[in-house]
């Protein structure tokens, strides 16, 4: 599928008495393309700070009502349905709706997608976790469920879609670690497809009581105070009483509202740090991104401290929507440090946005996202007892070292500094090194420096020297990429594309921030994908009568069917950032593009020139199934000046010129009409147009 018509366009076609039928074949040329209407490229945009949880709920209700129309606009085959799960709005009116997908009523694991709509509600692009066409012979399993807690799903995460059993297992392990896993088994062959851990942890080490004297919000109930923060969604802190039970435990209360003593001799001390961490994580997301809580719905998670006995870990769990901390043991002290709190609760943000699968490269990105935002929480808190730095868990390790370092990840003995083809086979806390290294270099640059009183020295994988754009700009780019463009299966190449798009949105296609994102991914050896930053558009030919001839001002001066003017992706423009991409759907469809000009009198010749590239899946060498007609409309008469077809396909742009002499001293509408039949796809790409006279 090349692009979509959008809900507004679908409605207009229906009103005109025309029918729209979803394509049954697999997409012909990849996902929908972003168009100028999206306001994404060029120019800048950002999340709307006035988009409240109430607005989000309303947007989700609207998206749910329009889910069927959206599925038609995306040309999802029959049997596939969409369920809206998240919504974000931008200041320019764009909205970004995250959907989960079903097939014949079954959840599609790895079927999530994000649909980007302009202010008029037209779909302008989409990002897919899986582009695979779903066609199952049957949704009846050949094998019985492997366990009681099993449900049928379609498994499509980095895999050809198959009918599968999803089995949920939840129990405590022998070492006290909670087990909360989803396993997937092919329902026809019995082959194990994947195992997903639903609890995100810090491996083996954690944090102690570091934050010194702090203040936080509590609630007076009768004659005692409860450790509940009513100002931040009702976040509450519980004592797990050294149990590994799934119960919340006992809510902390106090008679005089003075909590703990700064040491482990008081059980309240760990609770103070947990409350402080929860408050600072909430404040960081709200102040920096306008995000109201982990789910962006104004509700807070709860936290448990004193989990298990000598338990050297901390974890976030989606099942309970809660944060849990152990007391540590021989290697670690209590795991309630600020960066650990921010890290773990950021797993909840990831789960409720991109949903990055916790294995392979997507699992490494999941972990690096938590390291990034846990570090940013530490910087934002600006606590003199725990100054911001790029060391992870440095306060909790008894030997005075750290769990991980973002400036030089390989110093922990296991993490990867640079991407390579096998990095996804590492554990997620080690494959995260690539993302951590990228973020540090993007924020701070390469070389040696002191940050938070600690030495940092970051090399690059390609020997380049980087200056850094500042941690605040880097964090905004990563957050927008996570919440707007990443999906459950995003890998490092996909993260590169997502952050480039985010940088273009926030700072512009020709901005130093966008260029820095590209250079930094190069510096950690992540290969380039479909996205790039822009270059200033070339000047139009001298004497050109057409306005916006290279489409670099988006829709300005041109009339088009939905989605024609776009950023053409990896097979895009001849020059600049935009192209007029007509057809390419692989189904019956017509695209038009037109502009009116007045050809001055007193000229002896006039001509229309344009660069054309034709790519086609048609294999015939004799029959023109798909055509592009070049027309002139004047005085109510339409004249076809030239016709091109799938027979004219070529790898490069070729300049074409047609005669406009009959229109000297007249106003003429120059129109391109692309028409496809119902079979193989043909794309007509136009760029660098001109109408000139002599």
């Amino acid at each position: 599928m090349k692009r979509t018509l959008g809900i507004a366009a679908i409605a207009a076609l229906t009103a005109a008495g025309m029918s729209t039928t979803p394509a049954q074949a697999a997409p012909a040329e990849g996902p929908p393309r972003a168009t100028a209407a999206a306001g994404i490229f060029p120019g800048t945009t950002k999340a709307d700070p006035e988009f409240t949880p109430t607005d989000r709920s309303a947007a989700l209700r609207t998206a749910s009502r329009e889910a069927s129309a959206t599925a038609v606009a995306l040309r999802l085959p029959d049997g596939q349905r969409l369920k809206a799960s998240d919504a974000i709005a931008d200041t320019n009116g764009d909205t970004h709706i995250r959907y989960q997908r079903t097939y014949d009523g079954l959840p599609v694991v790895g079927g999530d997608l994000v649909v980007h709509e302009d202010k008029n509600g037209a779909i302008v692009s989409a990002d897919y976790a899986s582009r695979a066409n779903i066609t199952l012979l049957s949704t009846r399993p050949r094998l019985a469920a492997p366990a009681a807690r099993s449900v049928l799903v379609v498994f499509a995460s980095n895999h050809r879609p198959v009918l599968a059993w999803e089995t949920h297992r939840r129990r405590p392990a022998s070492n006290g670690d909670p087990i909360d896993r989803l396993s997937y088994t092919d329902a026809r062959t019995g082959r194990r497809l994947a195992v997903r851990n639903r609890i995100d942890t810090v491996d083996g080490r954690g944090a102690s009581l570091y934050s010194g004297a702090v203040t936080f919000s509590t609630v007076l109930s009768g004659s005692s105070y409860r450790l509940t923060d009513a100002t931040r969604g009702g976040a509450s802190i519980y004592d797990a009483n050294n149990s590994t039970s799934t119960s919340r435990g006992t809510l902390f209360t106090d008679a005089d509202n003075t909590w703990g003593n700064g040491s482990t001799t008081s059980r309240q001390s760990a609770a103070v740090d947990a409350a402080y961490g929860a408050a600072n994580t909430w404040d960081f997301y709200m102040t920096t991104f306008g995000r109201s809580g982990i789910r962006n719905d104004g509700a807070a998670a709860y936290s448990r401290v004193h989990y298990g006995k000598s338990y050297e870990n901390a974890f976030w769990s989606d099942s309970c929507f809660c944060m849990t901390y152990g007391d540590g043991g021989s290697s670690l002290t209590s795991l309630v440090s600020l960066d650990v709190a921010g890290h773990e609760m950021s797993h909840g943000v990831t789960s409720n946005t991109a949903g990055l699968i916790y294995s392979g490269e997507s699992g490494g990105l999941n972990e690096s996202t938590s390291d990034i935002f846990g570090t940013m929480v530490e910087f934002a808190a600006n606590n003199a007892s725990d100054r911001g730095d790029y060391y992870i868990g440095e306060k909790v390790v008894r030997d005075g070292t750290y769990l991980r370092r973002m400036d030089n990840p390989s110093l922990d003995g296991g993490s990867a500094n640079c991407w390579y083809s096998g990095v996804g086979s590492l554990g997620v806390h080690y494959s995260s090194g690539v993302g951590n290294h990228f973020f540090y270099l993007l924020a701070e640059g390469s070389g040696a420096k002191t940050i938070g009183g600690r030495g940092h020295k970051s090399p690059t994988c390609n020997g380049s020297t980087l200056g850094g754009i500042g941690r605040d700009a880097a964090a905004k780019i990563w957050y927008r990429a996570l919440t707007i463009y990443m999906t459950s299966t995003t890998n490092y190449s996909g993260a590169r594309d997502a952050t480039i798009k985010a940088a273009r949105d926030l700072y512009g296609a020709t901005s130093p921030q966008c260029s820095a994102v590209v250079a930094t991914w190069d510096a950690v050896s992540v290969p380039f994908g479909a996205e790039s930053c822009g270059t200033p558009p070339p000047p139009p030919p001298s004497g050109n009568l057409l306005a916006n001839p290279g489409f670099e001002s988006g829709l300005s001066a041109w009339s088009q069917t939905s989605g024609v003017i776009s950023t053409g992706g990896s097979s895009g423009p001849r020059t600049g950032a935009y192209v007029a991409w007509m057809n390419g759907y692989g189904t019956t469809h017509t695209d038009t593009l037109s502009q009116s000009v007045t050809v001055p009198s007193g000229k002896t010749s006039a001509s229309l020139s344009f660069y054309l590239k034709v790519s086609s899946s048609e294999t015939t060498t004799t029959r023109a199934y798909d055509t592009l007609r070049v027309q002139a409309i004047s005085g109510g008469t339409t004249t076809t000046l030239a016709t091109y077809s799938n027979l004219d396909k070529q790898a490069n742009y070729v300049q074409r010129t047609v005669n406009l002499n009959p229109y000297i001293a007249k106003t003429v509408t120059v129109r391109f009409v692309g028409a496809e039949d119902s079979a193989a796809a043909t794309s007509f790409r136009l760029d660098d147009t001109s109408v000139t006279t002599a």
Side-chain angles (χ1 to χ4, degrees):
M1 174 168 54
K2 170 197 157 193
R3 288 171 272 111
T4 69
L5 293 174
I7 295 173
I10 291 288
L13 289 175
T14 304
M18 300 176 66
S19 63
T20 59
T21 303
Q24 299 302 309
E29 293 203 38
R33 307 299 185 190
T35 70
I40 290 176
F41 184 39
T44 61
T45 187
K46 61 182 180 180
D48 187 351
E50 297 182 358
F51 189 71
T52 66
T54 300
D55 295 328
R56 172 181 175 272
S57 296
L60 285 174
R61 288 193 296 271
T62 299
S64 296
R65 288 194 299 268
E66 297 180 346
S68 296
T70 301
V72 170
L74 293 176
R75 300 182 181 178
L76 295 182
D78 288 341
Q80 296 191 37
R81 298 292 183 267
L82 297 175
K83 181 179 179 181
S85 61
D86 196 15
I88 293 175
D90 288 342
T91 52
N92 66 352
D94 294 347
T95 56
H96 313 275
I97 310 296
R98 191 174 293 274
Y99 291 95
Q100 304 300 318
R101 202 178 341 173
T102 63
Y103 175 84
D104 284 353
L106 300 179
V108 179
V109 179
D112 52 298
L113 59 133
V114 187
V115 173
H116 311 289
E117 300 179 359
D118 67 14
K119 62 183 178 181
N120 297 315
I123 299 172
V124 292
S125 67
D127 290 283
Y128 295 79
S130 173
R131 297 177 177 86
N133 188 40
I134 302 174
T135 304
L136 302 183
L137 295 176
S138 172
T139 55
R140 296 184 63 182
R142 181 174 295 171
L143 301 177
R149 301 182 67 182
S150 298
V151 295
L152 279 173
V153 299
V154 176
F155 186 81
S157 290
N158 300 314
H159 192 281
R160 177 180 56 82
V162 295
L163 185 69
W165 286 108
E166 178 187 83
T167 302
H168 187 193
R169 291 183 173 89
R170 185 176 181 182
R171 68 179 190 274
S174 58
N175 66 350
D177 278 345
I179 294 176
D180 190 351
R181 292 175 180 164
L182 297 176
S183 60
Y184 297 91
T185 307
D186 192 312
R188 299 180 66 81
T189 68
R191 185 168 65 92
R192 176 64 63 85
L193 300 171
V195 176
R196 303 280 167 76
N197 194 344
R198 301 182 72 202
I199 293 179
D200 307 313
T201 67
V202 172
D203 278 347
R205 302 196 272 183
S208 63
L209 308 174
Y210 304 124
S211 299
V214 296
T215 59
F216 46 87
S217 179
T218 61
V219 172
L220 178 61
S221 177
S223 59
S224 66
Y225 295 88
R226 296 183 295 172
L227 199 48
T228 297
D229 190 343
T231 67
R232 296 178 177 88
S236 297
I237 315 300
Y238 292 83
D239 189 339
N241 298 307
N242 301 109
S243 169
T244 57
S245 165
T246 58
S247 69
R248 295 194 181 198
T250 307
L251 179 66
F252 277 94
T253 60
D254 187 80
D256 61 4
N257 210 23
T258 301
W259 305 78
N261 61 7
S263 79
T264 56
T265 59
S266 169
R267 296 183 72 83
Q268 289 185 352
S269 299
V272 168
D273 281 85
Y276 184 68
N280 276 277
T281 301
W282 179 287
D283 290 351
F284 164 72
Y285 279 103
M286 174 60 76
T287 301
T288 310
F289 308 123
R291 187 176 188 86
S292 181
I294 288 171
R295 286 190 300 242
N296 200 24
D297 61 357
Y302 69 87
S303 300
R304 299 181 296 173
V305 298
H306 305 305
Y307 177 85
K309 296 179 180 179
S310 300
Y311 182 65
E312 294 197 309
N313 221 328
F315 61 88
W316 166 266
S317 174
D318 287 330
S319 297
C320 63
F321 195 65
C322 71
M323 184 62 233
T324 301
Y325 304 91
D327 288 331
S330 60
S331 299
L332 308 174
T333 53
S334 180
L335 284 100
V336 290
S337 67
L338 188 55
D339 59 351
V340 170
H343 171 107
E344 296 299 343
M345 284 181 275
S346 291
H347 277 304
V349 174
T350 297
S351 177
N352 285 277
T353 53
L356 290 162
I357 296 167
Y358 204 60
S359 62
E361 290 191 23
S362 60
L365 285 165
N366 191 317
E367 274 297 320
S368 62
T369 294
S370 283
D371 279 350
I372 288 165
F373 292 131
T375 293
M376 290 302 298
V377 168
E378 190 177 73
F379 276 113
N382 196 27
N383 187 300
S385 299
D386 188 5
R387 296 169 62 187
D389 53 48
Y390 291 91
Y391 289 48
I392 308 299
E394 74 281 2
K395 294 289 188 178
V396 310
V397 182
R398 290 192 184 275
D399 64 10
T401 56
Y402 47 80
L403 298 177
R404 289 183 294 282
R405 277 180 60 167
M406 298 177 69
D407 62 321
N408 196 343
S410 64
L411 292 179
D412 66 14
S415 293
N417 274 14
C418 312
W419 184 88
Y420 61 96
S421 59
V423 75
S425 64
L426 299 176
V428 294
H429 294 94
Y430 299 126
S431 60
S432 65
V434 178
N436 285 352
H437 196 196
F438 164 81
F439 184 84
Y440 176 87
L441 288 169
L442 182 65
E444 304 290 349
S446 57
K449 56 198 69 180
T450 300
I451 302 172
R454 294 178 179 270
H456 294 67
K457 186 174 183 180
S458 190
T460 59
C461 305
N462 62 355
S464 62
T465 300
L466 301 176
I469 63 173
R471 67 181 70 100
D472 291 340
K476 289 174 182 177
I477 290 170
W478 193 273
Y479 179 81
R480 184 168 180 86
L482 176 77
T483 57
I484 300 295
Y485 297 116
M486 291 186 191
T487 65
S488 62
T489 61
T490 296
N491 57 15
Y492 275 114
S493 180
R496 176 178 178 133
D497 281 350
T499 50
I500 289 172
K501 289 192 285 188
R504 290 196 314 231
D505 292 351
L506 293 170
Y507 301 106
T510 60
S511 66
Q513 291 88 346
C514 190
S515 298
V517 169
V518 172
T520 307
W521 282 120
D522 290 343
V524 295
S525 301
V526 172
F528 65 86
E531 301 298 331
S532 63
C533 297
T535 57
S542 177
N544 192 351
L545 299 178
L546 290 175
N548 188 23
F551 314 112
E552 298 306 309
S553 297
L555 306 185
S556 175
W558 293 95
S559 297
Q560 61 155 19
T561 49
S562 179
V564 167
I565 296 176
S566 69
T567 57
S570 58
S571 55
R574 174 180 175 268
T575 60
Y578 277 85
V579 66
W581 184 356
M582 306 186 73
N583 305 109
Y585 288 93
T587 188
T588 303
H589 181 71
T590 299
D591 271 333
T592 62
L593 176 73
S594 62
Q595 183 179 148
S596 294
V597 296
T598 299
V599 182
S601 59
K603 303 296 182 180
T604 59
S605 67
S607 62
L608 164 67
S609 293
F610 53 92
Y611 284 85
L612 174 66
K613 181 166 73 170
V614 183
S615 56
S616 179
S617 300
E618 299 283 4
T619 57
T620 179
T621 59
T622 60
R623 187 167 179 178
Y625 288 107
D626 308 316
T627 60
L628 176 72
R629 288 172 291 159
V630 184
Q631 298 179 332
I633 305 172
S634 182
T637 301
T638 300
T639 303
T640 297
L641 306 175
T643 301
Y644 307 92
S645 73
N646 49 278
L647 301 178
D648 297 297
K649 62 183 178 182
Q650 70 280 322
N652 300 309
Y653 281 93
V654 176
Q655 189 175 33
R656 309 285 187 173
T657 301
V658 296
N659 191 313
L660 293 181
N661 287 350
Y663 304 99
I664 293 173
K666 297 180 181 179
T667 296
V668 60
T669 298
V670 175
R671 183 169 71 172
F672 301 91
V673 181
E676 267 185 301
D677 68 0
S678 59
T682 299
S683 288
F684 301 98
R685 291 179 175 86
L686 297 162
D687 206 353
D688 299 329
T689 63
S690 64
V691 171
T692 56
T693 59

